[in-house]
Amino acid sequence: MRQLRTKKVRTLLILLGISVGVAAVVGVTSLGEGIRVNAVGEIEKSHDLTLIEVSPGVSNGNIILITESKVRAVREYGSVVAPYTMDDYVTPNKTYFKANGISAKYMEAKDLKLEAGMWLEEGTYQIVLGSDIGEKFSKIEGAEIGNAIDARIRLYGEEGRAIDKDITFVIAGRLKPTGTDSDDQAFMDMNIAMELTGKDVYDGIIVKLDKSGQTLAARTAIEKLGLTCYSAQDEIDSVNRIMNAVTLVLAFFSSISLIVGGLMIINTMIVSVYERTHEIGITKAIGASELDIIRMFLSECIIIGVLGGILGDLLGVLFSFLIDSVGRPMLVAQLGIADFEHLTVINIQILAAGFLVSLVISVIAGIYPAWRGAKLDPVKALRQL
């Protein structure tokens, strides 16, 4: 500490060099973490984390279909299990739409709410429209609730020959917007849908759980049945993997400034060894070992690392605040995206990482000068008195 206090300007420059590097790492990492948190938040807002979508699987080159027995097996793992079919229809005006054959449990599982009209009556050719497809039908087909609409489905026989089947649906109701793919779909009675297409298996199952924490165990059990599962957690995991990689790359490039700080420490400590040659000679002459000399220099490096880490974290918080204050409004304005609370996120892990990086760089940078000082011959060192 005496040496550091004696060379105040030099010590201050070293601290600035290492702390600016730490601040860059902390600021950039907080930006990556902020983008990740916002992306995950958007997924959580638009998806129900208690839902699992099950589709047919593949095992040893064979397709595992969703039969009635598979549905019964899946029922053991969810509070609401709703199989469905999905087929493509087209109107005479070339309006294409997907119609799901569903039961009342499907509406319950996906929490679909009516905006107007009424629910499906079982055994009828009624359809309920999602908000977007409902608007599309209104504009293109001029069809409103209570109107009949003609549609055609193309089926393929055993010989692969296309067979077109014409159906007339009655629009029973329209759903409230959900922000999901349900907005662009129509819904009909599942028994009617299977009768029209001749299907004896389902195209998918919606599984609703009581808690999002049950998702992993439930999907693991369902996948053991040979079926494929998808949940919003897949998107969250994907975002986490991508953003962790991006943050790591950004942190790597921003840490280049730390190398400059490390070189400053090496240079300063080597100069210090020359300046203190006579002091090292006396210290070794009165019995100090090489290890004592190494400890002496490394202790100074540790102090620099600790102070640089603390100062760097403080500057990093300030840097993060500036990015948030300036960058967030620009990003929202330029990209035209919805406003969000913060662009950057600072947490204890980021600050701890910044502190440790400062400490490690400082110690590594001090090893060579300390070794050089320890290897000085005490007789030659004393001759410089």
Side-chain angles (χ1 to χ4, degrees):
M1 282 295 289
R2 179 178 58 82
Q3 284 295 324
L4 297 179
R5 284 198 299 269
T6 304
K7 310 293 182 183
K8 291 178 181 175
V9 176
R10 182 195 296 173
T11 303
L12 180 60
L13 289 175
I14 297 174
L15 287 177
L16 284 176
I18 199 76
S19 60
V20 167
V22 172
V25 173
V26 169
V28 169
T29 306
S30 71
L31 174 61
E33 178 66 7
I35 295 174
R36 187 192 69 78
V37 168
N38 282 307
V40 170
E42 288 300 314
I43 294 173
E44 290 177 344
K45 284 180 187 174
S46 58
H47 293 75
D48 186 346
L49 297 180
T50 62
L51 283 185
I52 299 176
E53 295 199 19
V54 182
S55 57
V58 177
S59 177
N60 299 322
N62 299 316
I63 298 176
I64 309 299
L65 298 173
I66 302 178
T67 59
E68 192 60 43
S69 63
K70 291 289 186 187
V71 174
R72 284 197 296 271
V74 171
R75 282 199 176 102
E76 297 181 17
Y77 309 109
S79 57
V80 180
V81 175
Y84 65 90
T85 61
M86 179 182 286
D87 297 289
D88 296 315
Y89 290 82
V90 60
T91 68
N93 292 327
K94 305 299 181 187
T95 302
Y96 290 87
F97 65 99
K98 289 187 180 296
N100 288 6
I102 62 169
S103 63
K105 285 190 175 181
Y106 184 95
M107 311 294 276
E108 179 187 348
K110 299 206 77 170
D111 195 27
L112 301 178
K113 306 290 186 187
L114 267 182
E115 184 177 68
M118 54 181 288
W119 293 114
L120 302 168
E121 289 183 19
E122 291 185 8
T124 65
Y125 286 80
Q126 292 179 334
I127 57 173
V128 170
L129 305 176
S131 59
D132 290 346
I133 191 67
E135 187 175 344
K136 197 173 178 182
F137 270 30
S138 178
K139 290 179 179 177
I140 299 176
E141 306 290 336
E144 303 292 345
I145 295 172
N147 293 158
I149 186 166
D150 295 327
R152 173 174 293 178
I153 182 172
R154 173 160 291 182
L155 305 172
Y156 293 90
E158 292 182 358
E159 301 83 12
R161 186 167 58 90
I163 303 171
D164 291 337
K165 185 179 285 188
D166 295 322
I167 311 103
T168 299
F169 293 112
V170 175
I171 302 174
R174 183 186 292 188
L175 298 174
K176 290 181 179 177
T178 63
T180 68
D181 54 1
S182 295
D183 291 346
D184 205 33
Q185 296 173 350
F187 302 93
M188 57 191 295
D189 178 60
M190 186 160 59
N191 292 327
I192 295 295
M194 296 182 81
E195 178 185 306
L196 286 171
T197 58
K199 289 181 178 177
D200 57 0
V201 294
Y202 303 102
D203 294 315
I205 308 173
I206 296 295
V207 179
K208 186 171 180 61
L209 309 169
D210 293 326
K211 299 176 182 176
S212 59
Q214 299 171 334
T215 305
L216 180 59
R219 69 177 295 169
T220 301
I222 295 170
E223 285 172 345
K224 286 181 180 178
L225 299 173
L227 302 175
T228 301
C229 293
Y230 169 81
S231 68
Q233 189 61 45
D234 292 331
E235 287 187 41
I236 293 175
D237 292 343
S238 178
V239 168
N240 284 335
R241 282 195 298 273
I242 292 171
M243 287 312 304
N244 286 340
V246 170
T247 303
L248 192 62
V249 171
L250 292 175
F252 172 77
F253 284 107
S254 61
S255 66
I256 290 175
S257 55
L258 278 169
I259 297 176
V260 177
L263 292 174
M264 289 178 64
I265 295 175
I266 294 174
N267 180 61
T268 303
M269 297 306 290
I270 288 176
V271 171
S272 180
V273 169
Y274 280 116
E275 290 177 346
R276 297 159 66 184
T277 299
H278 59 285
E279 179 186 338
I280 295 172
I282 293 173
T283 305
K284 295 186 76 172
I286 60 177
S289 65
E290 292 183 355
L291 185 59
D292 292 330
I293 302 300
I294 290 175
R295 285 175 178 166
M296 182 175 70
F297 280 94
L298 287 186
S299 62
E300 294 177 11
C301 291
I302 290 174
I303 293 171
I304 290 172
V306 170
L307 295 177
I310 295 172
L311 184 59
D313 278 350
L314 294 175
L315 290 176
V317 172
L318 179 61
F319 187 28
S320 173
F321 175 76
L322 290 175
I323 294 175
D324 197 39
S325 302
V326 178
R328 184 172 58 84
M330 290 178 60
L331 197 65
V332 171
Q334 291 294 323
L335 299 181
I337 57 178
D339 198 4
F340 42 88
E341 193 172 358
H342 295 292
L343 178 59
T344 58
V345 171
I346 287 280
N347 55 41
I348 190 65
Q349 288 87 355
I350 293 175
L351 295 178
F355 180 82
L356 287 175
V357 166
S358 171
L359 191 58
V360 170
I361 291 287
S362 299
V363 171
I364 291 176
I367 290 175
Y368 172 70
W371 174 83
R372 191 164 178 169
K375 290 300 179 182
L376 279 178
D377 186 335
V379 177
K380 292 181 180 178
L382 288 171
R383 283 177 182 168
Q384 295 186 21
L385 283 170

